[in-house]
């Protein structure tokens, strides 16, 4: 990165009123100078640029070498045109201004815009060039406009005298549709000795936007006028852009990592919803089934108990138990007869029932485990019959009393 102090010599002679360079020679020259000033200060923060005029009432320094780009741009407005260009005096004054620069480590450079005829002899210009070379001052010449009276040859001789290790350059720009600044942006006047590179050209393009009117600035801030604010806004924008890119990358990774998960999730939700919808009916159906099963179980248990009880009495009863069963039967019959003793009709019916041997035999046969032909059973029936006959005999006597 080159550290330079630069003086720019502006041609403000009467020839600058011509319109062969849009919009006029003076305005095209001003745009190019603004571009160069912005490029120089952007290339190195410690670079300084100064401006002087070569015509009018005499050579006039508008701005000594400074890094305040606003001051440089302000001095370019309202330039007065008149007189003839005095290139020899302008170069000598520019050399004197560079000699008194504050930072002696800065390299010295003079840029001359020559848009009008050169009245000086070639030898005088060569002697000025040799003096510049002796003091290690580089010279860039922008040749445009008038080409009469051997102007290109004189400027070439001046450049040959001052050039040292290709540090000085000359650019011939004929009239054409392109702006003067657009043509200069790709020339060594902007790129220097190759140290500035593309960044230098980009800075020059930013300065071009400033010269045109500032419509091309990011955030609406001229970085040449307020570089700190422009830098802060640019850093803020870069941080926000990085944050958005990180968020977008994170979202893409999450979406790619889940893959088919959304569909399975939706299926799970659907199945859950279906289960929730059908669960009341299923619960009711399940409850009904449980009730039916309980009822069936109870019936089965009751039936099994009946069958088991019947099987047990039929299979396990022995003859020794028949007597106890007969006694219980007799006791039951006796109790029933005693309950109905107060009723003559019931007693008579009971007597009739006991007298009916066939009926008693059929009842006894129907009882499980009872043998009507058993002697004990016959004795029991005979005793019951005798008791009933005795009661029948006693009843008339009681009625007589």
């Amino acid at each position: 990165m080159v550290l330079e102090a630069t003086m720019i010599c502006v041609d403000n002679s009467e020839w600058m009123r011509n319109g062969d360079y849009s919009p006029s020679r003076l305005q095209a020259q001003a745009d190019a100078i603004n571009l160069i000033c912005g490029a120089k200060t952007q290339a190195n923060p410690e670079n300084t640029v100064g401006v002087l005029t070569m015509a009018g009432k005499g050579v006039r320094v508008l701005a000594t070498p400074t890094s305040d780009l606003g001051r440089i741009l302000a001095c370019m407005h309202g330039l007065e045109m008149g007189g003839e260009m005095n290139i020899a005096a302008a170069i000598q004054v520019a050399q004197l201004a560079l000699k008194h620069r504050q930072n002696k480590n800065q390299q010295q450079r003079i840029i001359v815009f020559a848009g009008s005829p050169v009245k000086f002899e070639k030898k005088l210009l060569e002697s000025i060039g040799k003096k510049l070379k002796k003091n290690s001052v580089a010279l860039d010449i922008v040749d445009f406009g008038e080409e009469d009276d051997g102007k290109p040859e004189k400027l070439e001789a001046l450049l040959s005298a001052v050039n040292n290790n290709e540090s000085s350059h000359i650019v011939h720009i004929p009239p054409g549709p392109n702006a003067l600044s657009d043509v200069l942006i790709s020339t060594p006047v902007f790129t220097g000795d190759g140290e500035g590179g593309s960044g230098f050209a980009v800075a020059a393009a930013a300065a071009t936007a400033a010269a045109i009117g500032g419509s091309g600035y990011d955030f609406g801030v001229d970085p040449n006028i307020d570089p700190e604010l422009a830098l802060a806004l640019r850093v803020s924008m870069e941080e926000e852009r990085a944050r958005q890119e990180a968020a977008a990358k994170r979202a893409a990774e999450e979406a790619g990592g889940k893959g088919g998960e959304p569909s399975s999730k939706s299926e799970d939700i659907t199945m859950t919803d279906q289960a929730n919808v059908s669960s009341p009916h299923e619960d009711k159906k399940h409850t009904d089934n449980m009730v039916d099963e309980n009822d069936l179980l109870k019936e089965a248990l009751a039936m099994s108990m009946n069958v088991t009880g019947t099987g047990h009495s039929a299979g396990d009863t022995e003859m020794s138990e028949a007597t106890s069963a007969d006694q219980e039967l007799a006791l039951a019959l006796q109790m029933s007869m005693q309950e109905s003793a107060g009723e003559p009709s019931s007693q008579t019916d009971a007597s009739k029932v006991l007298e009916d041997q066939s009926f008693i035999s059929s009842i006894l046969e129907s009882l499980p485990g009872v043998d009507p032909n058993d002697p004990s059973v016959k004795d029991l029936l005979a005793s019951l019959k005798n008791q009933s006959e005795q009661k029948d005999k006693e009843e008339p006597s009681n009625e007589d009393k």
Side-chain angles (χ1 to χ4, degrees), residues 186-221:
S186 59
T187 62
V189 176
F190 282 88
T191 58
D193 296 330
E195 299 181 7
S198 59
F200 196 74
V202 171
T208 302
I212 293 173
S215 60
Y217 293 135
D218 294 335
F219 320 111
V221 177

Side-chain angles (χ1 to χ4, degrees), residues 186-306:
S186 59
T187 62
V189 176
F190 282 88
T191 58
D193 296 330
E195 299 181 7
S198 59
F200 196 74
V202 171
T208 302
I212 293 173
S215 60
Y217 293 135
D218 294 335
F219 320 111
V221 177
D222 185 358
N224 300 320
I225 296 177
D226 196 346
E228 294 181 358
L229 178 58
L231 179 60
L233 293 173
R234 190 177 298 109
V235 170
S236 177
M237 176 61 72
E238 292 296 332
E239 291 178 354
E240 178 64 19
R241 186 176 302 160
R243 186 189 66 80
Q244 293 178 359
E245 290 178 356
K249 184 177 179 181
R250 193 180 306 110
E253 290 177 354
E254 291 177 357
K258 291 183 179 180
E261 205 168 287
S263 60
S264 62
K265 186 175 181 181
S266 61
E267 291 177 0
D268 294 340
I269 294 173
T270 305
M271 293 176 67
T272 304
D273 294 340
Q274 292 177 355
N276 293 335
V277 171
S278 60
S279 59
H281 301 286
E282 292 180 356
D283 293 342
K284 183 176 180 181
K285 183 177 180 181
H286 181 66
T287 304
D288 295 340
N289 293 335
M290 289 181 64
V291 173
D292 295 340
E293 290 177 359
N294 290 334
D295 295 340
L296 294 174
L297 181 60
K298 290 179 181 179
E299 293 179 1
L301 288 173
M303 292 174 66
S304 64
M305 291 174 66
N306 293 333

Side-chain angles (χ1 to χ4, degrees), residues 109-355:
R109 181 176 296 275
I110 298 174
I111 300 177
V112 176
F113 281 84
S116 57
V118 177
K119 299 291 181 77
F120 296 95
E121 297 293 332
K122 185 185 295 185
K123 291 182 179 181
L124 178 60
L125 296 177
E126 289 177 350
S127 63
I128 293 174
K130 292 178 181 180
K131 188 177 180 180
L132 292 177
K133 183 178 181 179
K134 182 180 179 179
N135 293 312
S136 300
V137 179
L139 177 66
D140 290 334
I141 302 174
V142 180
D143 179 20
F144 70 104
E146 302 299 325
E147 297 182 358
D148 298 340
D149 300 330
K151 174 186 171 185
E153 290 79 5
K154 294 179 181 180
L155 295 177
E156 288 285 352
L158 174 61
L159 181 68
S160 298
V162 73
N163 195 9
N164 183 18
N165 297 326
E166 300 299 328
S167 60
S168 300
H169 313 88
I170 184 170
V171 180
H172 301 280
I173 303 177
N178 295 327
L180 187 63
S181 58
D182 294 342
V183 177
L184 287 175
I185 199 169
S186 59
T187 62
V189 176
F190 282 88
T191 58
D193 296 330
E195 299 181 7
S198 59
F200 196 74
V202 171
T208 302
I212 293 173
S215 60
Y217 293 135
D218 294 335
F219 320 111
V221 177
D222 185 358
N224 300 320
I225 296 177
D226 196 346
E228 294 181 358
L229 178 58
L231 179 60
L233 293 173
R234 190 177 298 109
V235 170
S236 177
M237 176 61 72
E238 292 296 332
E239 291 178 354
E240 178 64 19
R241 186 176 302 160
R243 186 189 66 80
Q244 293 178 359
E245 290 178 356
K249 184 177 179 181
R250 193 180 306 110
E253 290 177 354
E254 291 177 357
K258 291 183 179 180
E261 205 168 287
S263 60
S264 62
K265 186 175 181 181
S266 61
E267 291 177 0
D268 294 340
I269 294 173
T270 305
M271 293 176 67
T272 304
D273 294 340
Q274 292 177 355
N276 293 335
V277 171
S278 60
S279 59
H281 301 286
E282 292 180 356
D283 293 342
K284 183 176 180 181
K285 183 177 180 181
H286 181 66
T287 304
D288 295 340
N289 293 335
M290 289 181 64
V291 173
D292 295 340
E293 290 177 359
N294 290 334
D295 295 340
L296 294 174
L297 181 60
K298 290 179 181 179
E299 293 179 1
L301 288 173
M303 292 174 66
S304 64
M305 291 174 66
N306 293 333
V307 172
T308 303
T310 304
H312 177 72
S313 60
D316 297 338
T317 304
E318 298 187 3
M319 293 303 294
S320 60
E321 296 177 355
T323 304
S324 60
D326 295 341
Q327 292 177 356
E328 292 177 358
L329 177 61
L331 180 60
L333 291 174
Q334 185 177 0
M335 290 176 64
S336 63
M337 291 175 65
Q338 290 177 357
E339 289 177 357
S340 58
E343 297 180 4
S345 60
S346 62
Q347 294 177 357
T348 304
D349 294 336
S351 299
K352 292 180 179 180
V353 169
L354 292 174
E355 292 176 357

